PDB file of all heavy atoms in Angstrom:
ATOM      1  N   ASP H   1     -38.654 143.742 -26.528  1.00  0.00           N
ATOM      2  CA  ASP H   1     -38.624 142.344 -26.958  1.00  0.00           C
ATOM      3  C   ASP H   1     -37.898 141.524 -25.897  1.00  0.00           C
ATOM      4  O   ASP H   1     -36.769 141.104 -26.071  1.00  0.00           O
ATOM      5  CB  ASP H   1     -37.920 142.237 -28.310  1.00  0.00           C
ATOM      6  CG  ASP H   1     -38.475 141.090 -29.138  1.00  0.00           C
ATOM      7  OD1 ASP H   1     -38.622 139.990 -28.580  1.00  0.00           O
ATOM      8  OD2 ASP H   1     -38.772 141.295 -30.317  1.00  0.00           O
ATOM      9  N   ASP H   2     -38.568 141.291 -24.776  1.00  0.00           N
ATOM     10  CA  ASP H   2     -37.981 140.587 -23.642  1.00  0.00           C
ATOM     11  C   ASP H   2     -37.769 139.122 -23.993  1.00  0.00           C
ATOM     12  O   ASP H   2     -38.631 138.473 -24.577  1.00  0.00           O
ATOM     13  CB  ASP H   2     -38.925 140.708 -22.445  1.00  0.00           C
ATOM     14  CG  ASP H   2     -38.252 140.357 -21.138  1.00  0.00           C
ATOM     15  OD1 ASP H   2     -37.474 139.387 -21.126  1.00  0.00           O
ATOM     16  OD2 ASP H   2     -38.501 141.059 -20.153  1.00  0.00           O
ATOM     17  N   CYS H   3     -36.618 138.580 -23.610  1.00  0.00           N
ATOM     18  CA  CYS H   3     -36.311 137.200 -23.984  1.00  0.00           C
ATOM     19  C   CYS H   3     -36.864 136.193 -22.996  1.00  0.00           C
ATOM     20  O   CYS H   3     -36.708 134.989 -23.197  1.00  0.00           O
ATOM     21  CB  CYS H   3     -34.803 137.016 -24.124  1.00  0.00           C
ATOM     22  SG  CYS H   3     -33.927 137.096 -22.544  1.00  0.00           S
ATOM     23  N   THR H   4     -37.503 136.614 -21.927  1.00  0.00           N
ATOM     24  CA  THR H   4     -38.032 135.684 -20.938  1.00  0.00           C
ATOM     25  C   THR H   4     -39.546 135.561 -21.064  1.00  0.00           C
ATOM     26  O   THR H   4     -40.227 136.486 -21.492  1.00  0.00           O
ATOM     27  CB  THR H   4     -37.695 136.147 -19.507  1.00  0.00           C
ATOM     28  OG1 THR H   4     -38.235 137.458 -19.302  1.00  0.00           O
ATOM     29  CG2 THR H   4     -36.192 136.198 -19.296  1.00  0.00           C
ATOM     30  N   GLY H   5     -40.060 134.396 -20.713  1.00  0.00           N
ATOM     31  CA  GLY H   5     -41.491 134.167 -20.680  1.00  0.00           C
ATOM     32  C   GLY H   5     -42.162 134.128 -22.033  1.00  0.00           C
ATOM     33  O   GLY H   5     -43.372 134.348 -22.136  1.00  0.00           O
ATOM     34  N   GLN H   6     -41.431 133.814 -23.085  1.00  0.00           N
ATOM     35  CA  GLN H   6     -42.024 133.848 -24.421  1.00  0.00           C
ATOM     36  C   GLN H   6     -42.939 132.652 -24.637  1.00  0.00           C
ATOM     37  O   GLN H   6     -42.602 131.517 -24.316  1.00  0.00           O
ATOM     38  CB  GLN H   6     -40.927 133.891 -25.483  1.00  0.00           C
ATOM     39  CG  GLN H   6     -40.050 135.137 -25.364  1.00  0.00           C
ATOM     40  CD  GLN H   6     -39.327 135.479 -26.650  1.00  0.00           C
ATOM     41  OE1 GLN H   6     -39.676 134.988 -27.707  1.00  0.00           O
ATOM     42  NE2 GLN H   6     -38.334 136.334 -26.561  1.00  0.00           N
ATOM     43  N   VAL H   7     -44.107 132.919 -25.201  1.00  0.00           N
ATOM     44  CA  VAL H   7     -45.094 131.878 -25.445  1.00  0.00           C
ATOM     45  C   VAL H   7     -44.716 131.036 -26.654  1.00  0.00           C
ATOM     46  O   VAL H   7     -44.898 129.812 -26.660  1.00  0.00           O
ATOM     47  CB  VAL H   7     -46.491 132.514 -25.632  1.00  0.00           C
ATOM     48  CG1 VAL H   7     -47.500 131.473 -26.093  1.00  0.00           C
ATOM     49  CG2 VAL H   7     -46.951 133.155 -24.336  1.00  0.00           C
ATOM     50  N   ASP H   8     -44.201 131.673 -27.703  1.00  0.00           N
ATOM     51  CA  ASP H   8     -43.832 130.952 -28.926  1.00  0.00           C
ATOM     52  C   ASP H   8     -42.337 130.671 -28.922  1.00  0.00           C
ATOM     53  O   ASP H   8     -41.522 131.602 -29.019  1.00  0.00           O
ATOM     54  CB  ASP H   8     -44.200 131.773 -30.160  1.00  0.00           C
ATOM     55  CG  ASP H   8     -45.705 131.862 -30.360  1.00  0.00           C
ATOM     56  OD1 ASP H   8     -46.431 131.023 -29.781  1.00  0.00           O
ATOM     57  OD2 ASP H   8     -46.165 132.761 -31.089  1.00  0.00           O
ATOM     58  N   PRO H   9     -41.924 129.404 -28.830  1.00  0.00           N
ATOM     59  CA  PRO H   9     -40.490 129.077 -28.751  1.00  0.00           C
ATOM     60  C   PRO H   9     -39.671 129.614 -29.914  1.00  0.00           C
ATOM     61  O   PRO H   9     -38.490 129.905 -29.749  1.00  0.00           O
ATOM     62  CB  PRO H   9     -40.484 127.541 -28.726  1.00  0.00           C
ATOM     63  CG  PRO H   9     -41.830 127.169 -28.182  1.00  0.00           C
ATOM     64  CD  PRO H   9     -42.774 128.215 -28.706  1.00  0.00           C
ATOM     65  N   ILE H  10     -40.276 129.763 -31.103  1.00  0.00           N
ATOM     66  CA  ILE H  10     -39.525 130.216 -32.262  1.00  0.00           C
ATOM     67  C   ILE H  10     -38.901 131.585 -32.039  1.00  0.00           C
ATOM     68  O   ILE H  10     -37.844 131.900 -32.578  1.00  0.00           O
ATOM     69  CB  ILE H  10     -40.419 130.233 -33.537  1.00  0.00           C
ATOM     70  CG1 ILE H  10     -39.607 130.609 -34.792  1.00  0.00           C
ATOM     71  CG2 ILE H  10     -41.579 131.187 -33.361  1.00  0.00           C
ATOM     72  CD1 ILE H  10     -38.578 129.610 -35.187  1.00  0.00           C
ATOM     73  N   SER H  11     -39.547 132.432 -31.233  1.00  0.00           N
ATOM     74  CA  SER H  11     -39.030 133.784 -31.024  1.00  0.00           C
ATOM     75  C   SER H  11     -38.079 133.881 -29.840  1.00  0.00           C
ATOM     76  O   SER H  11     -37.598 134.967 -29.520  1.00  0.00           O
ATOM     77  CB  SER H  11     -40.190 134.770 -30.834  1.00  0.00           C
ATOM     78  OG  SER H  11     -40.929 134.443 -29.665  1.00  0.00           O
ATOM     79  N   GLN H  12     -37.801 132.741 -29.215  1.00  0.00           N
ATOM     80  CA  GLN H  12     -36.899 132.726 -28.068  1.00  0.00           C
ATOM     81  C   GLN H  12     -35.449 132.823 -28.536  1.00  0.00           C
ATOM     82  O   GLN H  12     -34.995 131.999 -29.321  1.00  0.00           O
ATOM     83  CB  GLN H  12     -37.083 131.445 -27.263  1.00  0.00           C
ATOM     84  CG  GLN H  12     -36.133 131.302 -26.087  1.00  0.00           C
ATOM     85  CD  GLN H  12     -36.415 132.332 -25.011  1.00  0.00           C
ATOM     86  OE1 GLN H  12     -37.500 132.354 -24.443  1.00  0.00           O
ATOM     87  NE2 GLN H  12     -35.453 133.186 -24.741  1.00  0.00           N
ATOM     88  N   ASP H  13     -34.729 133.814 -28.047  1.00  0.00           N
ATOM     89  CA  ASP H  13     -33.317 133.922 -28.377  1.00  0.00           C
ATOM     90  C   ASP H  13     -32.527 132.846 -27.650  1.00  0.00           C
ATOM     91  O   ASP H  13     -32.999 132.261 -26.677  1.00  0.00           O
ATOM     92  CB  ASP H  13     -32.797 135.308 -27.995  1.00  0.00           C
ATOM     93  CG  ASP H  13     -33.172 136.329 -29.041  1.00  0.00           C
ATOM     94  OD1 ASP H  13     -34.355 136.690 -29.105  1.00  0.00           O
ATOM     95  OD2 ASP H  13     -32.293 136.737 -29.812  1.00  0.00           O
ATOM     96  N   PRO H  14     -31.306 132.539 -28.099  1.00  0.00           N
ATOM     97  CA  PRO H  14     -30.507 131.490 -27.458  1.00  0.00           C
ATOM     98  C   PRO H  14     -30.381 131.724 -25.964  1.00  0.00           C
ATOM     99  O   PRO H  14     -30.209 132.834 -25.500  1.00  0.00           O
ATOM    100  CB  PRO H  14     -29.154 131.617 -28.161  1.00  0.00           C
ATOM    101  CG  PRO H  14     -29.481 132.205 -29.481  1.00  0.00           C
ATOM    102  CD  PRO H  14     -30.622 133.148 -29.229  1.00  0.00           C
ATOM    103  N   GLY H  15     -30.458 130.637 -25.217  1.00  0.00           N
ATOM    104  CA  GLY H  15     -30.364 130.739 -23.762  1.00  0.00           C
ATOM    105  C   GLY H  15     -31.737 130.635 -23.176  1.00  0.00           C
ATOM    106  O   GLY H  15     -32.231 129.544 -22.908  1.00  0.00           O
ATOM    107  N   GLY H  16     -32.391 131.742 -22.976  1.00  0.00           N
ATOM    108  CA  GLY H  16     -33.774 131.761 -22.554  1.00  0.00           C
ATOM    109  C   GLY H  16     -33.966 131.429 -21.098  1.00  0.00           C
ATOM    110  O   GLY H  16     -33.134 131.730 -20.256  1.00  0.00           O
ATOM    111  N   GLY H  17     -35.085 130.747 -20.798  1.00  0.00           N
ATOM    112  CA  GLY H  17     -35.390 130.438 -19.415  1.00  0.00           C
ATOM    113  C   GLY H  17     -35.644 131.696 -18.612  1.00  0.00           C
ATOM    114  O   GLY H  17     -36.291 132.622 -19.060  1.00  0.00           O
ATOM    115  N   THR H  18     -35.099 131.730 -17.416  1.00  0.00           N
ATOM    116  CA  THR H  18     -35.292 132.890 -16.541  1.00  0.00           C
ATOM    117  C   THR H  18     -34.061 133.771 -16.469  1.00  0.00           C
ATOM    118  O   THR H  18     -33.987 134.676 -15.656  1.00  0.00           O
ATOM    119  CB  THR H  18     -35.649 132.415 -15.121  1.00  0.00           C
ATOM    120  OG1 THR H  18     -34.579 131.587 -14.624  1.00  0.00           O
ATOM    121  CG2 THR H  18     -36.956 131.625 -15.126  1.00  0.00           C
ATOM    122  N   GLN H  19     -33.065 133.487 -17.318  1.00  0.00           N
ATOM    123  CA  GLN H  19     -31.857 134.294 -17.294  1.00  0.00           C
ATOM    124  C   GLN H  19     -32.167 135.714 -17.759  1.00  0.00           C
ATOM    125  O   GLN H  19     -33.054 135.929 -18.574  1.00  0.00           O
ATOM    126  CB  GLN H  19     -30.791 133.697 -18.210  1.00  0.00           C
ATOM    127  CG  GLN H  19     -30.378 132.286 -17.808  1.00  0.00           C
ATOM    128  CD  GLN H  19     -29.345 131.745 -18.762  1.00  0.00           C
ATOM    129  OE1 GLN H  19     -28.363 132.417 -19.042  1.00  0.00           O
ATOM    130  NE2 GLN H  19     -29.565 130.548 -19.268  1.00  0.00           N
ATOM    131  N   PRO H  20     -31.458 136.699 -17.213  1.00  0.00           N
ATOM    132  CA  PRO H  20     -31.718 138.078 -17.654  1.00  0.00           C
ATOM    133  C   PRO H  20     -31.419 138.246 -19.128  1.00  0.00           C
ATOM    134  O   PRO H  20     -30.534 137.612 -19.682  1.00  0.00           O
ATOM    135  CB  PRO H  20     -30.763 138.913 -16.782  1.00  0.00           C
ATOM    136  CG  PRO H  20     -29.722 137.950 -16.328  1.00  0.00           C
ATOM    137  CD  PRO H  20     -30.395 136.620 -16.209  1.00  0.00           C
ATOM    138  N   CYS H  21     -32.172 139.109 -19.754  1.00  0.00           N
ATOM    139  CA  CYS H  21     -32.027 139.289 -21.198  1.00  0.00           C
ATOM    140  C   CYS H  21     -30.628 139.736 -21.586  1.00  0.00           C
ATOM    141  O   CYS H  21     -30.164 139.441 -22.682  1.00  0.00           O
ATOM    142  CB  CYS H  21     -33.039 140.318 -21.695  1.00  0.00           C
ATOM    143  SG  CYS H  21     -34.738 139.731 -21.635  1.00  0.00           S
ATOM    144  N   VAL H  22     -29.963 140.462 -20.689  1.00  0.00           N
ATOM    145  CA  VAL H  22     -28.632 140.937 -21.036  1.00  0.00           C
ATOM    146  C   VAL H  22     -27.695 139.774 -21.305  1.00  0.00           C
ATOM    147  O   VAL H  22     -26.744 139.880 -22.077  1.00  0.00           O
ATOM    148  CB  VAL H  22     -28.073 141.855 -19.917  1.00  0.00           C
ATOM    149  CG1 VAL H  22     -27.807 141.060 -18.648  1.00  0.00           C
ATOM    150  CG2 VAL H  22     -26.798 142.556 -20.370  1.00  0.00           C
ATOM    151  N   ALA H  23     -27.972 138.611 -20.707  1.00  0.00           N
ATOM    152  CA  ALA H  23     -27.130 137.442 -20.937  1.00  0.00           C
ATOM    153  C   ALA H  23     -27.388 136.817 -22.295  1.00  0.00           C
ATOM    154  O   ALA H  23     -26.596 136.016 -22.772  1.00  0.00           O
ATOM    155  CB  ALA H  23     -27.366 136.401 -19.837  1.00  0.00           C
ATOM    156  N   GLN H  24     -28.498 137.200 -22.937  1.00  0.00           N
ATOM    157  CA  GLN H  24     -28.842 136.591 -24.212  1.00  0.00           C
ATOM    158  C   GLN H  24     -28.538 137.503 -25.403  1.00  0.00           C
ATOM    159  O   GLN H  24     -28.816 137.146 -26.532  1.00  0.00           O
ATOM    160  CB  GLN H  24     -30.337 136.234 -24.225  1.00  0.00           C
ATOM    161  CG  GLN H  24     -30.832 135.521 -22.978  1.00  0.00           C
ATOM    162  CD  GLN H  24     -29.986 134.346 -22.610  1.00  0.00           C
ATOM    163  OE1 GLN H  24     -29.480 133.665 -23.497  1.00  0.00           O
ATOM    164  NE2 GLN H  24     -29.790 134.103 -21.337  1.00  0.00           N
ATOM    165  N   GLY H  25     -28.025 138.694 -25.147  1.00  0.00           N
ATOM    166  CA  GLY H  25     -27.823 139.625 -26.248  1.00  0.00           C
ATOM    167  C   GLY H  25     -29.136 140.183 -26.770  1.00  0.00           C
ATOM    168  O   GLY H  25     -29.188 140.754 -27.845  1.00  0.00           O
ATOM    169  N   ASN H  26     -30.216 139.973 -26.047  1.00  0.00           N
ATOM    170  CA  ASN H  26     -31.528 140.443 -26.488  1.00  0.00           C
ATOM    171  C   ASN H  26     -32.033 141.458 -25.476  1.00  0.00           C
ATOM    172  O   ASN H  26     -32.919 141.179 -24.682  1.00  0.00           O
ATOM    173  CB  ASN H  26     -32.487 139.255 -26.597  1.00  0.00           C
ATOM    174  CG  ASN H  26     -33.877 139.678 -27.030  1.00  0.00           C
ATOM    175  OD1 ASN H  26     -34.059 140.791 -27.481  1.00  0.00           O
ATOM    176  ND2 ASN H  26     -34.846 138.800 -26.891  1.00  0.00           N
ATOM    177  N   SER H  27     -31.407 142.600 -25.450  1.00  0.00           N
ATOM    178  CA  SER H  27     -31.809 143.615 -24.486  1.00  0.00           C
ATOM    179  C   SER H  27     -31.463 144.974 -25.047  1.00  0.00           C
ATOM    180  O   SER H  27     -30.790 145.087 -26.057  1.00  0.00           O
ATOM    181  CB  SER H  27     -31.098 143.394 -23.145  1.00  0.00           C
ATOM    182  OG  SER H  27     -29.713 143.555 -23.289  1.00  0.00           O
ATOM    183  N   GLY H  28     -31.906 145.986 -24.329  1.00  0.00           N
ATOM    184  CA  GLY H  28     -31.558 147.336 -24.736  1.00  0.00           C
ATOM    185  C   GLY H  28     -32.752 148.130 -25.206  1.00  0.00           C
ATOM    186  O   GLY H  28     -33.901 147.716 -25.074  1.00  0.00           O
ATOM    187  N   VAL H  29     -32.457 149.282 -25.770  1.00  0.00           N
ATOM    188  CA  VAL H  29     -33.489 150.228 -26.187  1.00  0.00           C
ATOM    189  C   VAL H  29     -33.784 150.032 -27.672  1.00  0.00           C
ATOM    190  O   VAL H  29     -32.897 150.191 -28.509  1.00  0.00           O
ATOM    191  CB  VAL H  29     -33.025 151.676 -25.924  1.00  0.00           C
ATOM    192  CG1 VAL H  29     -34.061 152.666 -26.431  1.00  0.00           C
ATOM    193  CG2 VAL H  29     -32.754 151.886 -24.437  1.00  0.00           C
ATOM    194  N   SER H  30     -35.017 149.681 -27.983  1.00  0.00           N
ATOM    195  CA  SER H  30     -35.459 149.647 -29.371  1.00  0.00           C
ATOM    196  C   SER H  30     -36.087 150.997 -29.697  1.00  0.00           C
ATOM    197  O   SER H  30     -36.122 151.900 -28.865  1.00  0.00           O
ATOM    198  CB  SER H  30     -36.491 148.530 -29.569  1.00  0.00           C
ATOM    199  OG  SER H  30     -37.725 148.884 -28.953  1.00  0.00           O
ATOM    200  N   MET H  31     -36.618 151.127 -30.912  1.00  0.00           N
ATOM    201  CA  MET H  31     -37.332 152.366 -31.222  1.00  0.00           C
ATOM    202  C   MET H  31     -38.769 152.327 -30.728  1.00  0.00           C
ATOM    203  O   MET H  31     -39.493 153.311 -30.817  1.00  0.00           O
ATOM    204  CB  MET H  31     -37.302 152.648 -32.725  1.00  0.00           C
ATOM    205  CG  MET H  31     -37.719 151.521 -33.583  1.00  0.00           C
ATOM    206  SD  MET H  31     -39.326 151.338 -34.268  1.00  0.00           S
ATOM    207  CE  MET H  31     -40.426 152.467 -33.875  1.00  0.00           C
ATOM    208  N   GLY H  32     -39.197 151.182 -30.138  1.00  0.00           N
ATOM    209  CA  GLY H  32     -40.594 150.969 -29.835  1.00  0.00           C
ATOM    210  C   GLY H  32     -41.233 151.967 -28.892  1.00  0.00           C
ATOM    211  O   GLY H  32     -42.202 152.641 -29.252  1.00  0.00           O
ATOM    212  N   VAL H  33     -40.739 152.060 -27.647  1.00  0.00           N
ATOM    213  CA  VAL H  33     -41.370 152.938 -26.666  1.00  0.00           C
ATOM    214  C   VAL H  33     -41.261 154.398 -27.097  1.00  0.00           C
ATOM    215  O   VAL H  33     -42.221 155.176 -26.961  1.00  0.00           O
ATOM    216  CB  VAL H  33     -40.757 152.725 -25.273  1.00  0.00           C
ATOM    217  CG1 VAL H  33     -41.250 153.790 -24.294  1.00  0.00           C
ATOM    218  CG2 VAL H  33     -41.119 151.336 -24.741  1.00  0.00           C
ATOM    219  N   ALA H  34     -40.115 154.797 -27.636  1.00  0.00           N
ATOM    220  CA  ALA H  34     -39.958 156.178 -28.104  1.00  0.00           C
ATOM    221  C   ALA H  34     -40.951 156.472 -29.230  1.00  0.00           C
ATOM    222  O   ALA H  34     -41.512 157.567 -29.309  1.00  0.00           O
ATOM    223  CB  ALA H  34     -38.524 156.421 -28.567  1.00  0.00           C
ATOM    224  N   PHE H  35     -41.174 155.507 -30.112  1.00  0.00           N
ATOM    225  CA  PHE H  35     -42.196 155.656 -31.161  1.00  0.00           C
ATOM    226  C   PHE H  35     -43.564 155.882 -30.522  1.00  0.00           C
ATOM    227  O   PHE H  35     -44.298 156.803 -30.901  1.00  0.00           O
ATOM    228  CB  PHE H  35     -42.228 154.407 -32.044  1.00  0.00           C
ATOM    229  CG  PHE H  35     -43.403 154.342 -32.984  1.00  0.00           C
ATOM    230  CD1 PHE H  35     -43.306 154.828 -34.269  1.00  0.00           C
ATOM    231  CD2 PHE H  35     -44.609 153.778 -32.574  1.00  0.00           C
ATOM    232  CE1 PHE H  35     -44.394 154.770 -35.137  1.00  0.00           C
ATOM    233  CE2 PHE H  35     -45.701 153.723 -33.436  1.00  0.00           C
ATOM    234  CZ  PHE H  35     -45.592 154.219 -34.719  1.00  0.00           C
ATOM    235  N   GLY H  36     -43.925 155.016 -29.566  1.00  0.00           N
ATOM    236  CA  GLY H  36     -45.224 155.141 -28.929  1.00  0.00           C
ATOM    237  C   GLY H  36     -45.414 156.490 -28.266  1.00  0.00           C
ATOM    238  O   GLY H  36     -46.468 157.124 -28.399  1.00  0.00           O
ATOM    239  N   ASN H  37     -44.382 156.955 -27.557  1.00  0.00           N
ATOM    240  CA  ASN H  37     -44.479 158.249 -26.876  1.00  0.00           C
ATOM    241  C   ASN H  37     -44.743 159.372 -27.857  1.00  0.00           C
ATOM    242  O   ASN H  37     -45.589 160.243 -27.634  1.00  0.00           O
ATOM    243  CB  ASN H  37     -43.193 158.525 -26.104  1.00  0.00           C
ATOM    244  CG  ASN H  37     -43.043 157.653 -24.872  1.00  0.00           C
ATOM    245  OD1 ASN H  37     -43.972 156.950 -24.463  1.00  0.00           O
ATOM    246  ND2 ASN H  37     -41.867 157.660 -24.280  1.00  0.00           N
ATOM    247  N   ARG H  38     -44.002 159.388 -28.957  1.00  0.00           N
ATOM    248  CA  ARG H  38     -44.137 160.478 -29.920  1.00  0.00           C
ATOM    249  C   ARG H  38     -45.492 160.437 -30.628  1.00  0.00           C
ATOM    250  O   ARG H  38     -46.093 161.474 -30.888  1.00  0.00           O
ATOM    251  CB  ARG H  38     -43.007 160.422 -30.956  1.00  0.00           C
ATOM    252  CG  ARG H  38     -41.709 161.020 -30.446  1.00  0.00           C
ATOM    253  CD  ARG H  38     -40.683 161.173 -31.563  1.00  0.00           C
ATOM    254  NE  ARG H  38     -39.592 162.039 -31.127  1.00  0.00           N
ATOM    255  CZ  ARG H  38     -39.580 163.348 -31.283  1.00  0.00           C
ATOM    256  NH1 ARG H  38     -40.602 163.954 -31.865  1.00  0.00           N
ATOM    257  NH2 ARG H  38     -38.549 164.069 -30.870  1.00  0.00           N
ATOM    258  N   LEU H  39     -45.963 159.230 -30.938  1.00  0.00           N
ATOM    259  CA  LEU H  39     -47.221 159.156 -31.667  1.00  0.00           C
ATOM    260  C   LEU H  39     -48.399 159.512 -30.763  1.00  0.00           C
ATOM    261  O   LEU H  39     -49.327 160.216 -31.192  1.00  0.00           O
ATOM    262  CB  LEU H  39     -47.415 157.761 -32.269  1.00  0.00           C
ATOM    263  CG  LEU H  39     -48.517 157.671 -33.321  1.00  0.00           C
ATOM    264  CD1 LEU H  39     -48.264 158.640 -34.476  1.00  0.00           C
ATOM    265  CD2 LEU H  39     -48.653 156.259 -33.850  1.00  0.00           C
ATOM    266  N   VAL H  40     -48.379 159.055 -29.525  1.00  0.00           N
ATOM    267  CA  VAL H  40     -49.440 159.436 -28.590  1.00  0.00           C
ATOM    268  C   VAL H  40     -49.462 160.949 -28.415  1.00  0.00           C
ATOM    269  O   VAL H  40     -50.524 161.585 -28.427  1.00  0.00           O
ATOM    270  CB  VAL H  40     -49.252 158.737 -27.237  1.00  0.00           C
ATOM    271  CG1 VAL H  40     -50.144 159.373 -26.167  1.00  0.00           C
ATOM    272  CG2 VAL H  40     -49.579 157.253 -27.349  1.00  0.00           C
ATOM    273  N   ALA H  41     -48.267 161.546 -28.263  1.00  0.00           N
ATOM    274  CA  ALA H  41     -48.197 163.001 -28.092  1.00  0.00           C
ATOM    275  C   ALA H  41     -48.685 163.730 -29.339  1.00  0.00           C
ATOM    276  O   ALA H  41     -49.279 164.810 -29.250  1.00  0.00           O
ATOM    277  CB  ALA H  41     -46.769 163.417 -27.759  1.00  0.00           C
TER     278      ALA H  41
END
């Protein structure tokens, strides 16, 4: 859930723009990619 380049402003976390996501508190590891890996396998 990258905080940059969002098309819908409603989903933009505070800050936004081109700042790195770590500055917005919207970064890190979700369960998403790990879920995808396990289900594909």
Side-chain angles (χ1 to χ4, degrees):
D1 211 313
D2 196 319
C3 70
T4 58
Q6 299 202 16
V7 172
D8 290 341
I10 184 66
S11 63
Q12 177 67 61
D13 280 73
T18 59
Q19 299 179 50
C21 290
V22 68
Q24 313 309 325
N26 179 14
S27 64
V29 177
S30 72
M31 51 98 358
V33 171
F35 169 93
N37 288 350
R38 279 190 166 270
L39 194 58
V40 167

